[in-house]
Amino acid sequence: MAGKTKTYLDYRNKLILAPMVRVGTLPMRLLALEYGADLVYTEEIIDWKLLRAERRVNDVLGTIDYIDTTDGTVVFRTCPAERGKVVLQIGTAAAERAAAVGKMLEQDVTAIDVNMGCPKEFSIKGGMGVALLYDLPRAKAVLEALVQTVSIPVTCKIRLMPDVDDTIKLARELQSTGISAIGVHGRTKTERPRDPVNEAAIARVAEALDIPVIANGGSQSITRHCDMLKFARQCGTRSVMVARAAEWNVSVFRPDGPLPLDDVIRRYLTLSVRYDNPPANSKYCVQMMLRSLQESPIGRRLLDSQTMQQMCDIWELGDYCRETQLVYHQAGNQGRRACRPRTLSQDQVENGSLGGKRQCFDGQELSIIEENICFIRANFPQDTELPKTKLFLYARRNHLELARYEVQQKDKLFKAIIQFDGKRYSSTFWEKSKRFAEQAAALVCLVQLGVEQRDTLIANGAMMKPLPEVGAPTQNSFDQSGQKETHEQKPDCELAVKDYVVV
């Protein structure tokens, strides 16, 4: 790697948030650091997903976002609060793709880890995860390509082989590629969390290597900070990474002991709102914290929730959520509500070939009445309350022709346009399913007819509050910690949400 100076990261004496799919996103990583973790790993992100993403500076959130160009979702989001402490874990089976990912992201992460321990069928079929342990030439090629390409440290995370001597031999081969550390999960590829972790095997690997070994797999015996230190000692290592114990209560990293779960959830949701985390991801993480409590009254409310506002209301953060989302909306944060297909050109938007303001229908040119309303299934527990059903009944009662639906698909997103009683209605919100797109368009129509009330839709998260006029005082905005700060609205913030392409 000519012309680049390698950065150094000391992997000794570290308590680490392990990589966890759907859990290791930005709010959880920040919370782990806040509670005392030294390093935090991202969830495993597959190489090709990163390679089709675009890097964006998100000035509203103060983050760096990598955006999937096919559907506008955030593949990876980071912020200055985790600089120097966030490790990107990638799933890969190709040296060229791994190197390309490393080159693409090395400016935004502290180190790169290659997943060589995931036993899931998806990873194995793709030659990734634990499959790499049984394809040593490929595994070494991936690590060597990364080490030679990037200036930041490279590591890998493995599982034990059935024979400990084979594990030691493998680990030495991987060490020879120039990696800076290696994580060892103390179970084989066929063993599961209910099986005992092999601390002695991890200790033998640690003794045989010259680079730091990070012990992993002890969550069954870890409930406190001191338990992590004990697990590291028993494994003969100086560092430990924790997955499920942190998933259950991430305050396990606190030297003074874990906090009550409600306090942890409340803080987690605050960070989720602050960093505009996808509601589905936040809901999943809170579910993992609640575990058996999902059957409690609070747990049932969570399971019925579909928006960040609905979740925050459970833990008395609803006002904070609504205020923050409005601030971001005013500032032009290009969030899910502003999502439109990446392949939809500006010309198509302007000339109305897809969701424009005027289109021909049965030879007539009709304006489209648009509202930024999304369909949230949890808001309509009974099928008889669904927007399309309500619109059908409205038409029958008033002896009107039934609504006609036209659905357009672009990339992975859908938009519906309704013709009803001589007018056309559509939501500016691109949905991820045809059915939801039709229901959203029906909601727009029902709002215009007065059947559905705006205040109700705003309260349940389906609709944003209207923007204040330019120059009017805004709601409270928030700094990176989630604390409130006041400011005046700037004129250049007053832009239509639909004018933005995704973040």
Side-chain angles (χ1 to χ4, degrees):
M1 190 192 65
K4 283 195 177 183
T5 303
K6 281 280 189 180
T7 59
Y8 174 72
L9 177 60
D10 188 354
Y11 283 90
R12 296 169 299 177
N13 302 314
K14 296 292 188 292
L15 300 181
I16 302 168
L17 179 70
M20 291 178 283
V21 173
R22 298 180 68 186
V23 175
T25 46
L26 183 59
M28 188 66 77
R29 299 197 306 267
L30 292 177
L31 195 52
L33 291 172
E34 187 174 304
Y35 288 144
D38 299 301
L39 295 173
V40 289
Y41 279 54
T42 70
E43 61 178 338
E44 177 195 27
I45 307 177
I46 307 302
D47 54 11
W48 54 261
K49 195 165 187 178
L50 286 163
L51 291 175
R52 75 182 186 193
E54 289 182 358
R55 182 182 188 271
R56 307 271 185 83
V57 177
N58 189 324
D59 292 325
V60 176
L61 297 180
T63 59
I64 301 297
D65 299 344
Y66 285 81
I67 307 301
D68 189 324
T69 57
T70 66
D71 62 10
T73 56
V74 178
V75 179
F76 171 61
R77 170 169 285 163
T78 185
C79 71
E82 64 175 358
R83 185 173 297 280
K85 297 179 180 180
V86 59
V87 178
L88 171 69
Q89 188 184 68
I90 61 172
T92 186
E96 298 80 7
R97 291 201 301 271
V101 166
K103 188 173 181 180
M104 178 181 178
L105 279 99
E106 65 176 323
Q107 63 184 313
D108 296 317
V109 297
T110 306
I112 294 178
D113 182 80
V114 177
N115 184 349
M116 297 187 179
C118 180
K120 301 296 185 182
E121 185 178 5
F122 166 79
S123 288
I124 294 175
K125 279 188 174 181
M128 302 178 292
V130 77
L132 287 172
L133 300 186
Y134 297 87
D135 189 349
L136 185 58
R138 185 190 296 268
K140 290 181 68 174
V142 167
L143 294 176
E144 287 169 350
L146 276 167
V147 169
Q148 293 167 12
T149 301
V150 301
S151 60
I152 57 178
V154 175
T155 63
C156 65
K157 183 172 180 285
I158 69 171
R159 280 182 172 248
L160 296 175
M161 310 284 276
D163 188 310
V164 179
D165 289 332
D166 289 339
T167 309
I168 292 172
K169 181 179 178 181
L170 169 76
R172 283 174 171 162
E173 288 287 343
L174 298 177
Q175 175 182 255
S176 71
T177 64
I179 59 176
S180 300
I182 186 168
V184 180
H185 184 103
R187 296 181 180 86
T188 66
K189 72 173 184 177
T190 59
E191 292 176 327
R192 292 298 176 261
R194 63 180 178 273
D195 296 311
V197 63
N198 194 337
E199 296 169 346
I202 297 176
R204 284 193 58 192
V205 175
E207 185 179 8
L209 298 186
D210 299 322
I211 59 175
V213 169
I214 305 165
N216 178 233
S219 283
Q220 293 286 14
S221 62
I222 293 174
T223 59
R224 305 176 68 85
H225 180 274
C226 59
D227 295 332
M228 290 189 281
L229 302 180
K230 180 181 178 182
F231 178 65
R233 287 195 302 271
Q234 291 172 335
C235 292
T237 68
R238 298 171 66 178
S239 295
V240 59
M241 59 169 53
V242 182
R244 284 176 302 118
E247 177 182 83
W248 299 331
N249 188 334
V250 70
S251 69
V252 70
F253 288 105
R254 292 180 78 247
D256 296 334
L259 294 171
L261 195 57
D262 272 345
D263 293 349
V264 176
I265 292 174
R266 193 171 288 110
R267 182 58 183 155
Y268 171 77
L269 288 173
T270 299
L271 290 170
S272 291
V273 172
R274 164 64 183 88
Y275 288 99
D276 197 25
N277 199 52
N281 179 254
S282 296
K283 179 178 178 179
Y284 175 84
C285 290
V286 177
Q287 284 181 261
M288 295 303 101
M289 295 183 211
L290 289 177
R291 301 170 71 192
S292 62
L293 293 176
Q294 290 182 59
E295 296 304 317
S296 68
I298 282 182
R300 296 308 307 175
R301 285 184 66 189
L302 174 70
L303 294 176
D304 290 339
S305 299
Q306 201 167 339
T307 69
M308 192 65 73
Q309 288 182 17
Q310 291 169 339
M311 284 182 279
C312 286
D313 282 335
I314 300 171
W315 280 275
E316 300 177 344
L317 291 167
D319 288 344
Y320 167 77
C321 179
R322 280 180 277 274
E323 289 177 11
T324 305
Q325 289 183 341
L326 181 58
V327 168
Y328 291 164
H329 184 52
Q330 291 167 344
N333 183 49
Q334 302 169 354
R336 177 70 184 94
R337 285 184 174 275
C339 180
R340 65 174 172 83
R342 291 292 306 165
T343 54
L344 179 59
S345 70
Q346 189 61 34
D347 286 343
Q348 286 176 304
V349 174
E350 291 172 355
N351 68 26
S353 62
L354 257 180
K357 286 292 185 181
R358 304 187 72 85
Q359 290 190 7
C360 289
F361 196 91
D362 292 343
Q364 298 180 348
E365 187 181 76
L366 299 175
S367 296
I368 298 176
I369 299 169
E370 293 183 315
E371 301 264 13
N372 191 239
I373 298 175
C374 63
F375 172 71
I376 300 170
R377 185 63 177 89
N379 289 340
F380 305 94
Q382 303 298 324
D383 288 350
T384 55
E385 299 173 356
L386 289 169
K388 288 182 66 176
T389 304
K390 285 186 177 181
L391 188 57
F392 174 87
L393 294 174
Y394 180 92
R396 283 286 187 244
R397 284 195 303 267
N398 292 280
H399 309 290
L400 298 172
E401 186 177 341
L402 297 181
R404 298 168 64 181
Y405 294 84
E406 171 191 349
V407 179
Q408 302 160 336
Q409 179 180 359
K410 197 72 173 175
D411 297 340
K412 299 178 182 178
L413 301 171
F414 297 84
K415 180 190 284 285
I417 300 172
I418 294 177
Q419 182 177 359
F420 182 72
D421 196 22
K423 296 181 180 179
R424 306 192 76 201
Y425 305 89
S426 182
S427 172
T428 60
F429 191 100
W430 285 80
E431 296 279 3
K432 290 193 173 183
S433 81
K434 175 179 179 290
R435 292 185 298 108
F436 277 31
E438 290 178 339
Q439 298 286 5
L443 262 180
V444 174
C445 182
L446 292 171
V447 167
Q448 292 290 321
L449 294 172
V451 177
E452 290 284 349
Q453 302 303 310
R454 292 177 185 275
D455 289 347
T456 301
L457 296 179
I458 290 171
N460 64 31
M463 192 175 188
M464 291 293 294
K465 289 182 181 179
L467 294 174
E469 295 181 2
V470 177
T474 67
Q475 303 282 348
N476 293 318
S477 64
F478 303 86
D479 63 20
Q480 290 188 10
S481 67
Q483 300 300 312
K484 296 182 179 180
E485 60 179 6
T486 58
H487 65 88
E488 294 293 315
Q489 182 184 359
K490 297 179 180 179
D492 62 358
C493 291
E494 191 185 53
L495 296 171
V497 177
K498 64 188 175 186
D499 291 338
Y500 285 89
V501 185
V502 197
V503 174

